[in-house]
Amino acid sequence: AKKITLGAQDVFWHNRWAVTGGISPKMLKNAGARYVLIGHSERQQYFKETAYMINQKIKAALVNNLIPIICVGEKEKRDVDSFLVKKCIFEQLNNNLAGIKLNAGDTFIIAYEPIWAISSHNQGQGQPESLDDINKMIGLIRFWVARRFSENIASKMPILYGGSVTGANINLFAQSSVADGVLVGRASTKKQELKKIFQKLKRTNKKFT
């Protein structure tokens, strides 16, 4: 059976404040949205979103039964085993999820999206991360979730990869032993490219988000 679920690219963190142009959690719920993307690097770059704002949006999403998709990723390409990469990702997770507690039934998704790999940050010429490095980074994020929340939550939490995902390379990501899916950026705006991604994923017979 076909299943399409509506999501949003942003959310404000209050339902009652008068903020022209802001989309409240309640508005998203009433429109039928289930997911909301929070903390994308482009929001931070162009709209100057801070860790505090991201944190408030995550809390608002959870309170209003929206599933946040939280973006984290390093700006510069470095050895994934380096201390600087771990420090960068852990600091983002610590700041973005500060004070957040998960109740029974709460769900959130983490999208690992290295900024250096995103096409929009490289004049449309982004290069995806290697499969080995993706597996290492997602494993690192899952380790953090296990320590911050619990092993049970970490084992069930979907963690996605984003960064120059296309129909030409989707099979590579589907081979990942730790990624639960992909966050498609530029390719999602091209009908034929998105169609290729769906077709190739269907052939893999793998549960992939």
Side-chain angles (χ1 to χ4, degrees):
K2 295 181 179 179
K3 184 177 180 181
I4 297 175
T5 305
L6 186 64
Q9 294 182 349
D10 187 32
V11 65
F12 188 60
W13 57 85
H14 285 291
N15 282 319
R16 296 184 178 180
W17 283 14
V19 180
T20 301
I23 308 299
S24 72
K26 187 174 181 179
M27 290 170 69
L28 293 182
K29 289 289 290 185
N30 289 341
R34 186 181 179 201
Y35 299 90
V36 59
L37 192 64
I38 298 176
H40 193 276
S41 59
E42 291 168 5
R43 293 287 312 178
Q44 296 181 59
Q45 179 182 1
Y46 300 119
F47 297 93
K48 309 305 178 186
E49 284 193 356
T50 65
Y52 171 81
M53 295 165 69
I54 293 168
N55 179 259
Q56 293 302 301
K57 289 182 178 186
I58 294 170
K59 290 177 179 176
L62 291 171
V63 167
N64 288 274
N65 296 314
L66 291 167
I67 298 175
I69 304 174
I70 307 155
C71 298
V72 297
E74 70 277 18
K75 290 183 179 181
E76 298 179 16
K77 186 175 182 178
R78 289 192 172 99
D79 184 340
V80 297
D81 293 319
S82 74
F83 171 76
L84 289 176
V85 171
K86 293 178 182 178
K87 181 175 183 289
C88 173
I89 297 301
F90 284 173
E91 282 185 349
Q92 289 179 46
L93 291 168
N94 283 327
N95 293 333
N96 293 349
L97 294 167
I100 289 177
K101 297 179 180 179
L102 293 182
N103 300 312
D106 284 346
T107 304
F108 69 76
I109 297 170
I110 295 176
Y112 167 59
E113 193 172 46
I115 298 172
W116 56 264
I118 301 174
S119 294
S120 63
H121 287 267
N122 296 280
Q123 292 75 49
Q125 302 299 317
Q127 294 294 324
E129 194 158 22
S130 71
L131 184 59
D132 285 345
D133 286 352
I134 290 170
N135 286 340
K136 286 182 180 179
M137 291 304 298
I138 291 180
L140 189 68
I141 292 169
R142 206 175 294 280
F143 168 83
W144 182 92
V145 174
R147 296 301 177 272
R148 171 65 169 75
F149 296 103
S150 72
E151 292 281 355
N152 184 49
I153 289 175
S155 67
K156 295 178 180 178
M157 179 177 293
I159 302 180
L160 317 180
Y161 170 77
S164 298
V165 177
T166 67
N169 60 32
I170 185 61
N171 283 345
L172 172 70
F173 306 124
Q175 294 172 25
S176 171
S177 59
V178 294
D180 299 298
V182 289
L183 182 66
V184 184
R186 184 180 294 268
S188 69
T189 65
K190 301 175 182 179
K191 181 180 178 181
Q192 292 304 315
E193 192 69 26
L194 198 57
K195 184 178 180 180
K196 287 180 184 178
I197 292 174
F198 288 145
Q199 288 175 336
K200 290 188 175 182
L201 283 177
K202 186 176 181 181
R203 295 191 199 111
T204 66
N205 292 318
K206 177 182 178 181
K207 186 178 179 182
F208 209 60
T209 302

